[in-house]
Amino acid sequence: MKRVRLTDAGIRRLKPGVREYTVRDTRVPSLGVRVRASGSRTFVCHFPKTRVSLGPATLLAVDDARRECLRLQSAGPDRKAAAPTFAAFATGPWRESLIPRCKPSTIRWRDWVLDARLLPAFGHFCMDRITPAHVHRWFDAYSRTAPVGANAALGLLRQILDHAVTQDHIEVNPARGLTPNPRSKRTRFLSKEEIARLHASLDCHAAGRRGQQADIIRLLLLTGCRKNEIVRLKRREVENGCLRLEDSKTGPRTVFLNRRARDIIDRCMTATTGEFLFPSPIDPARPISDDLTLWTSVRREAGIEDVRLHDLRHTYASQAVMRGLPLPVVARLLGHREVTMTLRYAHASDSEIAAAAERIGASLSERLGLAPVLSPDGDGPAGNGRRTDSG
């Protein structure tokens, strides 16, 4: 077994071999770096009869690994055996538990949050050394710059620590009891005038270098699809005026297209020949980037800067509801498993609600024998009135 004075730069230069090997430190002899054939490098602490993983060498500095190894030596290997490091547990047993029950896209998102947010903060801690104070400090710091992202990462941290409780590594989840950041309940969707302005702005870009993005944004409004369902749409998923999506957030589903959406799809089918309906201009074998930069421009041009891309899906649902479609039908259009999910997207504008109140008032007045009162402009009933002389 080779012994050298471990440095961060030296560890990065270690090359994988045909078999796994370990390089031991000369300053702390019990510390080593295990190099797998895959190229991954992991700090390990050696005891007479066991070896304990300290976490990936890409996330833990050598000095920190030395301190942790010395701490473990003083505490003894038995305590550590019952409490792995957060990095070892999260990238090992917890992640392996996800694979049978999560979609690949979900696992990719969780891997990103783990690598970018959780491992740098907690990776070097033993599971039983993470305290509520550690979690609070991390969450408060993250919340100052990205409160929504902090909420998502906190939810994932709770899942990992809950799993550690079930595995008897810790007794209590230190992330429990922490209140997430409040989120404003947005019900923004486009009015008829805003829809018209958006289409006019998209028309100005349809023939330019961002014409693909204009088509995608228009399809999001015309179909109510999620962004990735259109951005990553494959040509083979277009079938007989429908989109037969092989995968979506809720699994395979069929999207029924209206005439305007079919026209866009047919034109794009003629213009492309590869796997994806919207191929990347750099690499046609891949889909176009989901970073739709055109959206920022058309929002400004249409005067709808406060509208998010996902609000186009809200708008599609709202238009369906305001035209009297039953909620189960709207749920099918949006690809929801439960109608309760659809209620989150189905909104009506104040003007629509006011008009509905007038119609109900007029109907009740008629049934109660009340004479309708004309609206101030004299165009129709205002929905309230006086009783007629019924004798």
Side-chain angles (χ1 to χ4, degrees):
M1 186 178 295
K2 185 178 180 181
R3 290 184 181 273
V4 299
R5 183 178 180 277
L6 292 177
T7 64
D8 294 325
I11 291 172
R12 288 193 294 268
R13 289 194 295 268
L14 293 175
K15 303 294 184 182
V18 178
R19 297 180 179 179
E20 174 186 307
Y21 68 93
T22 301
V23 178
R24 296 281 284 269
D25 187 30
T26 54
R27 292 187 59 184
V28 179
S30 56
L31 177 66
V33 176
R34 181 176 58 197
V35 183
R36 296 184 184 274
S38 63
S40 66
R41 303 168 182 82
T42 306
F43 284 115
V44 290
C45 185
H46 292 264
F47 293 92
K49 295 183 179 180
T50 187
R51 182 175 64 179
V52 175
S53 173
L54 302 181
T58 53
L59 300 173
L60 194 61
V62 172
D63 290 339
D64 292 334
R66 288 190 180 109
R67 283 192 292 269
E68 181 66 9
C69 190
L70 292 172
R71 187 191 69 78
L72 292 177
Q73 283 183 312
S74 63
D78 293 337
R79 181 168 178 261
K80 178 62 181 179
T85 62
F86 180 88
F89 179 77
T91 58
W94 176 76
R95 190 181 184 282
E96 290 169 3
S97 72
L98 295 179
I99 295 174
R101 53 192 176 89
C102 289
K103 295 175 57 177
S105 58
T106 302
I107 294 176
R108 286 194 298 272
W109 175 80
R110 293 182 176 184
D111 282 345
W112 182 88
V113 176
L114 191 64
D115 292 340
R117 301 299 179 187
L118 299 182
L119 290 181
F122 303 105
H124 62 286
F125 283 107
C126 296
M127 298 297 295
D128 59 352
R129 302 282 289 187
I130 300 175
T131 67
H134 290 139
V135 178
H136 276 262
R137 285 196 296 269
W138 162 79
F139 184 70
D140 289 344
Y142 191 4
S143 297
R144 283 193 287 271
T145 57
V148 176
N151 284 351
L154 176 63
L156 194 62
L157 177 62
R158 283 174 171 165
Q159 292 179 27
I160 297 171
L161 296 175
D162 276 341
H163 192 60
V165 172
T166 65
Q167 299 297 309
D168 294 326
H169 293 312
I170 55 177
E171 295 182 3
V172 180
N173 184 339
R176 286 293 167 189
L178 181 59
T179 303
N181 297 303
R183 295 189 61 179
S184 59
K185 296 186 181 298
R186 301 184 59 180
T187 57
R188 183 68 166 96
F189 57 100
L190 299 177
S191 67
K192 293 180 181 179
E193 296 75 15
E194 289 172 331
I195 292 173
R197 295 203 303 269
L198 174 61
H199 278 298
S201 178
L202 291 171
D203 287 341
C204 295
H205 297 274
R209 61 183 179 86
R210 293 190 289 184
Q212 271 189 325
Q213 294 188 37
D215 286 336
I216 291 172
I217 293 171
R218 220 185 297 260
L219 282 173
L220 292 176
L221 178 61
L222 293 171
T223 64
C225 284
R226 301 174 182 91
K227 181 175 70 170
N228 283 340
E229 291 173 347
I230 297 298
V231 169
R232 299 176 184 175
L233 183 64
K234 297 180 176 66
R235 289 167 54 86
R236 66 172 178 265
E237 294 176 313
V238 179
E239 179 183 325
N240 298 328
C242 297
L243 303 182
R244 309 287 184 182
L245 300 181
E246 298 169 354
D247 190 22
S248 70
K249 187 176 181 180
T250 55
R253 77 179 184 100
T254 299
V255 178
F256 296 91
L257 301 174
N258 51 56
R259 182 187 59 79
R260 192 103 189 256
R262 287 197 300 271
D263 290 344
I264 297 173
I265 294 289
D266 291 344
R267 174 167 48 77
C268 293
M269 288 287 287
T270 303
T272 59
T273 57
E275 179 183 10
F276 294 99
L277 192 68
F278 298 104
S280 166
I282 299 174
D283 181 4
R286 300 176 62 85
I288 190 173
S289 169
D290 60 3
D291 181 17
L292 302 179
T293 56
L294 177 62
W295 178 241
T296 301
S297 301
V298 296
R299 279 195 310 177
R300 183 177 60 253
E301 294 165 4
I304 53 173
E305 288 90 344
D306 62 326
V307 177
R308 303 167 300 173
L309 198 61
H310 195 69
D311 290 330
L312 301 182
R313 183 168 163 86
H314 289 194
T315 301
Y316 180 87
S318 298
Q319 291 292 318
V321 171
M322 286 190 290
R323 277 154 180 74
L325 293 182
L327 282 179
V329 174
V330 181
R332 284 283 306 277
L333 289 171
L334 295 176
H336 288 158
R337 291 196 182 112
E338 302 292 339
V339 174
T340 52
M341 286 293 297
T342 310
L343 291 172
R344 299 171 55 195
Y345 290 81
H347 311 298
S349 65
D350 290 344
S351 61
E352 291 284 343
I353 294 173
E358 295 290 359
R359 290 194 296 270
I360 294 170
S363 176
L364 289 173
S365 296
E366 180 181 352
R367 291 178 181 275
L368 293 173
L370 299 175
V373 174
L374 295 179
S375 61
D377 57 10
D379 291 336
N384 51 33
R386 56 177 177 80
R387 181 178 295 275
T388 61
D389 185 7
S390 58

